[in-house]
Amino acid sequence: MADRVFNFSAGPAVLPVPVLEEARENLLSLGETGVGIMEHSHRGPAFTAVIEEAEALCRELAGIPDNYRILFLQGGASAQFFTVPMNLLAPERTADYLNTGAWSKKAIAEAKPFGKVHVVCSSEDRNFCYIPHGRDFSDGAAYVHYTSNNTIAGTQFSGIPEIPSGGTLVCDASSDIFSRPIDVTQYGILYAGAQKNLGPSGVTLVIIRDDVIERGNDDLPALLKYATQAKAGSMSNTPPTFGIYIMGLVFKWLKQQGGLAGIDESNRNKAAKLYAYLDQSDLFQGTADSDSRSLMNVTFVTGNADLDTKFIATASSAGLSGLKGHRSVGGMRASIYNAFPAEGVDALIAAMQQFEADNT
Ligand code: PMP
């Protein structure tokens, strides 16, 4: 087997090695069943145990109360961009959106066919390099939507944004879900594509409160109604069984890391080291405002596009892959999600120090 490199990819992203090893063990036969994990019927007892365990671990990790459903859906986080307004918006109603990055913009665009959309705040004036403070909420919004971590711009909300009392908060947490403790009770809906912090692509975790499900529009295709999925326990049709299995293993791994408090400490340490290096570097600079920095996606530049390209190539030949920044920001992006090892951050800093010595 080829040696594994340090994979800074923004997603699909690095998974914990023990998770991959356990999955490998079960590809040909899940436990003693003689049938591989991908080959089990979703209605059979073996897979039923898998999905029940994944859900139980998810509830335990995040302290999710009984009045919330946990759904394992398909279509990626992008499908939630339209599923949320399809269920909760209506032509005469308004939904409030915080516009903090390219993914927020996509969510806004996808909501517009279903009702009125009001942008509460935006950081687009500076290419989304900060989290705006001012908010201009509308009266009686159907819900308020925000993106907790902006994968492309490298910014993150440090806490849960305050919304008008009685409002329904909806969060796209695709790139920071379960990276720190979370108070689920503040949310009506919390959703995330799995492929950064939870597992492989192809499964989307949706955590939704019962009264929000009940409020949903009825006149929709069955699969796009949260009510259908909740009633069927995500088994209205064949669910993404392999992805759910891996998610369960990731939850088990997270528990072994000390749960969300434990992984939070590890994430803070990784990010703090990298930002401390950037702050004293004469060559590399972070692109996000310091009070808005993401602990998951660290974006930085040299200020010279040719040097950026050279650094990415140099790092890649030293076993540091996936550092190229998104084309809308340029430069570099180090995605250091839950499963990204601390040694990889040390290796990146060492490579940056060397590059700086050789190029200044
Ligand atoms: N939201 C955020 C914050 C993301 O980072 C991404 C993917 N990078 C998406 C949504 C879209 O996710 P998907 O590809 O699963 O639809």
Side-chain angles (χ1 to χ4, degrees):
M1 191 182 78
D3 284 341
R4 283 170 66 81
V5 298
F6 289 120
N7 175 11
F8 291 91
S9 166
V14 60
L15 284 165
V17 170
V19 165
L20 296 174
E21 284 172 340
E22 187 168 342
R24 180 174 60 186
E25 288 297 303
N26 290 284
L27 280 185
L28 292 176
S29 171
L30 177 64
E32 300 297 313
T33 61
V35 173
I37 171 59
M38 283 184 271
E39 304 165 307
H40 271 283
S41 160
H42 59 295
R43 310 258 176 222
F47 184 74
T48 302
V50 165
I51 193 168
E52 284 177 355
E53 189 184 4
E55 176 174 340
L57 283 166
C58 183
R59 275 193 194 277
E60 182 185 342
L61 269 176
I64 302 172
D66 289 345
N67 63 329
Y68 281 77
R69 295 307 109 219
I70 294 170
L71 309 179
F72 302 99
L73 305 183
Q74 302 189 51
S78 302
Q80 296 305 308
F81 293 168
F82 58 81
T83 309
V84 168
M86 269 180 134
N87 279 266
L88 298 181
L89 202 50
E92 71 287 0
R93 294 207 68 188
T94 301
D96 280 356
Y97 278 76
L98 283 70
N99 183 22
T100 58
W103 296 110
S104 306
K105 264 181 92 164
K106 290 205 166 147
I108 289 168
E110 292 287 272
K112 283 185 175 165
F114 302 101
K116 299 189 184 84
V117 171
H118 171 70
V119 175
V120 168
C121 62
S122 172
S123 51
E124 195 164 8
D125 59 335
R126 288 200 288 129
N127 201 20
F128 299 119
C129 72
Y130 68 104
I131 299 292
H133 290 295
R135 315 262 193 259
D136 167 31
F137 291 107
S138 57
D139 286 335
Y143 59 88
V144 179
H145 180 284
Y146 81 110
T147 314
S148 50
N149 183 77
N150 300 284
T151 325
I152 293 174
T155 64
Q156 185 178 24
F157 283 82
S158 56
I160 301 176
E162 264 185 51
I163 63 166
S165 73
T168 301
L169 187 58
V170 177
C171 178
D172 171 6
S174 290
S175 52
D176 68 352
I177 188 142
F178 295 175
S179 65
R180 54 188 177 185
I182 184 167
D183 180 2
V184 169
T185 65
Q186 299 299 307
Y187 296 92
I189 304 178
L190 191 62
Y191 66 87
Q195 65 271 20
K196 299 160 201 308
N197 262 343
L198 301 177
S201 59
V203 51
T204 309
L205 182 68
V206 177
I207 301 169
I208 180 167
R209 212 172 54 222
D210 285 336
D211 62 281
V212 178
I213 297 174
E214 281 153 26
R215 214 191 296 159
N217 296 327
D218 206 34
D219 189 17
L220 297 175
L223 270 189
L224 295 179
K225 269 191 271 191
Y226 289 122
T228 313
Q229 297 285 9
K231 202 165 157 221
S234 311
M235 299 264 212
S236 176
N237 67 335
T238 315
T241 55
F242 185 67
I244 295 168
Y245 166 72
I246 299 287
M247 228 191 237
L249 296 186
V250 170
F251 292 152
K252 196 166 76 173
W253 176 83
L254 271 174
K255 214 176 138 181
Q256 288 159 358
Q257 309 312 302
L260 302 191
I263 206 71
D264 183 33
E265 193 184 339
S266 140
N267 286 331
R268 281 182 192 283
N269 289 339
K270 287 185 293 183
K273 262 193 188 175
L274 199 41
Y275 284 119
Y277 174 73
L278 287 171
D279 284 342
Q280 61 73 58
S281 170
D282 292 325
L283 179 62
F284 296 100
Q285 306 111 44
T287 62
D289 283 8
S290 49
D291 66 350
S292 305
R293 286 169 162 176
S294 167
L295 303 186
M296 299 280 100
N297 310 97
V298 179
T299 49
F300 56 99
V301 294
T302 62
N304 171 333
D306 292 337
L307 265 189
D308 289 350
T309 306
K310 188 174 163 193
F311 175 69
I312 292 161
T314 309
S316 173
S317 42
L320 308 172
S321 85
L323 282 166
K324 193 172 182 332
H326 191 272
R327 61 189 179 282
S328 62
V329 179
M332 282 69 71
R333 168 174 54 178
S335 297
I336 50 173
Y337 301 120
N338 287 352
F340 189 87
E343 308 84 71
V345 171
D346 294 339
L348 173 59
I349 293 170
M352 290 163 86
Q353 276 166 335
Q354 186 61 50
F355 189 82
E356 189 165 344
D358 293 346
N359 289 277
T360 46

